[in-house]
Amino acid sequence: MLGRRNQATGARGEESQLESLRERATELAAIRALAEAGPGERATAAQHAKGKLTARERIDILFDEGSFCEVEGLRRHRATGFGLEDKKPYGDGVVTGWGTVHGRTVFTYAHDFRIFGGALGEAHAAKIHKLMDLAEAAGAPIVGLCDGAGARIQEGVTALAGYGGIFKRNVRNSGVIPQISVILGPCAGGAAYSPALTDFVFMVRGTSQMFITGPDVVQAVTGEAVTMEHLGGADSHGGESGVASFVYDDERGCLEDVRHLLSLLPSNNRELAPAGDLDDPADRRNDRLLDLVPARPTQGYDIREVIEEIVDHGEYFEVHGQWAQNMVCALARLGGRLVGLVANQPAHLAGVLDIGASEKAARFVQFCDAFSIPLVTLIDVPGFLPGVDQEHQGIIRHGAKLLYAYCNATVPRISLVLRKAYGGAYIVMDSSSIGADVALAWPSNEIAVMGAEGAANVIFRREIAASADPEATRAQRIKEYQSELMHPYYAAERGLVDDVIDPAETRSRLIATLAMLHAKTAPQPHRKHGNLPL
């Protein structure tokens, strides 16, 4: 009887416990709904009125449907003073978690501007630190959806220390997992340095702003009156400073391209990028190139059309398209393999190398090397841009960044000289002498110390000046210099170019060479790290 009574009592206790768990589950659902709803419809309407989505609406666009899993959604701050003790919203102004993008794991943190203006406090920062550590451990990309007013002033130096933890993790994960920053609102003061440490920065016109000091401070200190958009808007950073890698007209289009970029990249530095479709024939001829690129080296053309003709399906994803437009850097596939394309742009400043172009390409080369993305360099460069401004602003130092990046790269490297390749700029653009694995050239190539006209003017200066007909003498000497030192096979005869190829066979030769180099290894000397010319 005692045993039966105990069983009956246990059954009633278990039933009571189950009822309690149901009640707790209902309570949990209500709390989660409150946390996900945020501060209410009025705050949401204010966000929408600015042309901005909420943090969770952005997450819904970024991730595959139903895949997002939130981390620390119920966390609240513990600060007191200045009224903070009366305002303790769930999440503390940032949504953190992971999900899938095209089926692969990606982590994100999204500032919720509706809560404390998205400002960073101790709990807010701790959530981001946790997420960054998880992304590092899982070996998966992290995307920061930035829409915050900087450090939470009411929490003082504790908030600033939170930024320090983010910066430290940005640097630790650099070259380990892809890091992407999407600026979807204000990003001011110290907050701007985290995006600057990441691999790519996306911005939206009209709503994104990044700056160290705002317009009011600028005017107070310098007397310059400037708007937020002109000081730190998307077009300013996309075309002037080079901080923004990509610029868009709306958030949805921006986030869709973040998804596209993630579909191209490897998840971490231990994996290769996902393979693409193989339905564009590797042996497809490029006869259009024979008419597309003018033989005359001084005549311009758009290098993007060459890239479209060569790559799989004519599709490429250009980085920093509005900045330093004399250089084109893009991700594309050749024979299904992801490659990084670096190309001089004859349609802008004749494709000359200057400070901006050197920095743009150096940054891109370093990224590709960090994540095992082979490099294909298309060369048509007349040299470095001459001028007092360039010299005084450090073209030597900045040009050395590109030289360093190429020399330091261990991924497969193929260079192709389309037309002119003059002076030090030729050497810097991944020539065989600095380590290109295979150097190719078209029969239109002119590889020399300088152009024939300049060389003749230097070498035969006195003879031309003393001639009865200086122009005729100059023309004759130019022709001689071209025939002796600048003919299409001069470099190939001396082993500086591995082969001169028919432009129509460019795609097939590049794909075959990439396949040959697929398992390349390049041992490096033991060192803590090199000393990049920053």
Side-chain angles (χ1 to χ4, degrees):
M1 291 294 294
L2 183 60
R4 290 181 181 178
R5 188 180 301 113
N6 285 342
Q7 288 178 0
T9 303
R12 286 195 301 271
E14 183 178 346
E15 182 179 347
S16 176
Q17 184 181 19
L18 288 174
E19 289 175 355
S20 176
L21 284 175
R22 289 193 181 97
E23 291 172 357
R24 292 296 177 87
T26 301
E27 179 187 33
L28 172 61
I31 292 174
R32 280 185 171 171
L34 181 64
E36 291 177 6
E41 294 183 1
R42 185 176 178 181
T44 300
Q47 180 84 344
H48 289 166
K50 297 173 184 175
K52 301 196 298 183
L53 300 174
T54 66
R56 294 184 186 276
E57 288 170 340
R58 292 161 177 164
I59 287 171
D60 287 343
I61 296 172
L62 178 63
F63 288 101
D64 299 338
E65 186 176 357
S67 69
F68 182 68
C69 298
E70 189 169 355
V71 176
E72 296 195 355
L74 302 183
R75 186 153 189 168
R76 305 163 97 170
H77 74 76
R78 55 187 178 183
T80 58
F82 305 102
L84 285 179
E85 63 274 12
D86 299 324
K87 298 178 181 179
K88 294 190 175 185
Y90 289 112
D92 201 47
V94 64
V95 181
T96 55
W98 76 88
T100 60
V101 175
H102 297 292
R104 296 193 299 150
T105 300
V106 173
F107 289 77
T108 193
Y109 62 88
H111 298 137
D112 191 340
F113 192 82
R114 301 172 303 164
I115 299 175
F116 299 133
L120 181 137
E122 180 190 26
H124 184 121
K127 290 180 64 175
I128 296 175
H129 297 167
K130 168 79 172 182
L131 191 85
M132 296 178 80
D133 292 342
L134 281 173
E136 179 184 358
I142 185 167
V143 179
L145 304 179
C146 304
D147 185 7
R152 195 173 300 169
I153 299 172
Q154 299 94 321
E155 294 194 30
V157 71
T158 307
L160 292 178
Y163 277 123
I166 293 173
F167 302 157
K168 180 176 69 175
R169 288 166 173 82
N170 283 140
V171 174
R172 191 173 70 207
N173 289 331
S174 181
V176 178
I177 55 175
Q179 300 181 81
I180 297 173
S181 297
V182 190
I183 313 303
L184 299 167
C187 185
Y193 281 112
S194 177
L197 291 170
T198 60
D199 300 307
F200 300 102
V201 176
F202 288 71
M203 294 187 74
V204 178
R205 293 183 179 92
T207 56
S208 303
Q209 295 96 30
M210 292 179 69
F211 39 72
I212 300 301
T213 53
D216 293 341
V217 176
V218 169
Q219 185 168 13
V221 174
T222 70
E224 298 174 277
V226 63
T227 65
M228 289 181 65
E229 192 67 19
H230 180 64
L231 180 64
D235 285 321
S236 294
H237 285 308
E240 298 294 330
S241 71
V243 171
S245 314
F246 309 97
V247 174
Y248 296 86
D249 289 325
D250 63 89
E251 289 192 16
R252 182 172 291 275
C254 174
L255 293 169
E256 288 291 346
D257 262 8
V258 174
R259 285 177 55 86
H260 177 60
L261 177 59
L262 288 166
S263 75
L264 296 173
L265 300 178
S267 291
N268 55 64
N269 63 352
R270 302 181 302 279
E271 298 180 9
L272 295 177
D277 296 331
L278 298 176
D279 51 351
D280 189 350
D283 60 354
R284 172 169 59 79
R285 286 180 59 82
N286 308 124
D287 293 289
R288 180 169 172 262
L289 295 177
L290 297 168
D291 300 315
L292 179 62
V293 179
R296 180 184 295 180
T298 56
Q299 189 172 346
Y301 64 94
D302 192 342
I303 194 65
R304 293 183 182 91
E305 294 187 54
V306 175
I307 292 172
E308 286 179 9
E309 176 63 26
I310 295 171
V311 301
D312 292 359
H313 307 294
E315 297 176 355
Y316 64 94
F317 196 56
E318 186 174 356
V319 181
H320 288 297
Q322 296 182 9
W323 178 55
Q325 295 182 47
N326 40 323
M327 181 73 76
V328 172
C329 298
L331 295 167
R333 288 193 172 102
L334 277 167
R337 286 190 175 94
L338 183 69
V339 298
L341 291 160
V342 180
N344 305 113
Q345 173 57 294
H348 188 83
L349 296 178
V352 71
L353 275 181
D354 61 4
I355 289 173
S358 299
E359 289 194 326
K360 172 179 175 177
R363 175 77 168 164
F364 184 73
V365 167
Q366 285 191 142
F367 173 81
C368 290
D369 186 52
F371 290 98
S372 301
I373 301 170
L375 289 161
V376 175
T377 304
L378 305 179
I379 306 169
D380 192 345
V381 62
F384 283 95
L385 181 65
V388 175
D389 286 346
Q390 286 286 303
E391 295 292 349
H392 287 184
Q393 291 174 27
I395 182 63
I396 297 172
R397 177 167 50 87
H398 294 289
K401 295 177 183 178
L402 180 54
L403 179 60
Y404 188 101
Y406 269 127
C407 291
N408 201 47
T410 61
V411 293
R413 291 157 51 189
I414 305 171
S415 65
L416 172 62
V417 180
L418 308 187
R419 296 192 311 182
K420 58 189 176 296
Y422 298 156
Y426 154 63
I427 299 299
V428 169
M429 288 294 294
D430 205 21
S431 62
S432 61
S433 59
I434 66 169
D437 296 296
V438 175
L440 304 172
W442 284 357
S444 51
N445 79 82
E446 289 186 358
I447 304 174
V449 175
M450 62 177 65
E453 292 186 11
N457 288 335
V458 172
I459 298 172
F460 305 109
R461 181 179 65 256
R462 293 181 180 177
E463 179 184 345
I464 292 171
S467 173
D469 188 349
E471 290 304 318
T473 302
R474 180 183 288 106
Q476 179 184 352
R477 292 307 190 187
I478 289 172
K479 186 175 180 180
E480 289 176 2
Y481 187 86
Q482 287 176 324
S483 63
E484 288 292 328
L485 297 177
M486 294 181 65
H487 63 79
Y489 309 103
Y490 183 86
E493 290 170 359
R494 285 152 182 80
L496 300 176
V497 167
D498 295 303
D499 200 5
V500 179
I501 66 171
D502 182 343
E505 298 174 355
T506 299
R507 172 177 165 81
S508 60
R509 286 298 299 269
L510 290 177
I511 290 174
T513 306
L514 286 168
M516 177 271 292
L517 292 168
H518 180 63
K520 172 188 173 182
T521 58
Q524 294 290 291
H526 174 73
R527 61 182 177 184
K528 185 176 182 180
H529 58 73
N531 188 15
L532 175 69
L534 296 173

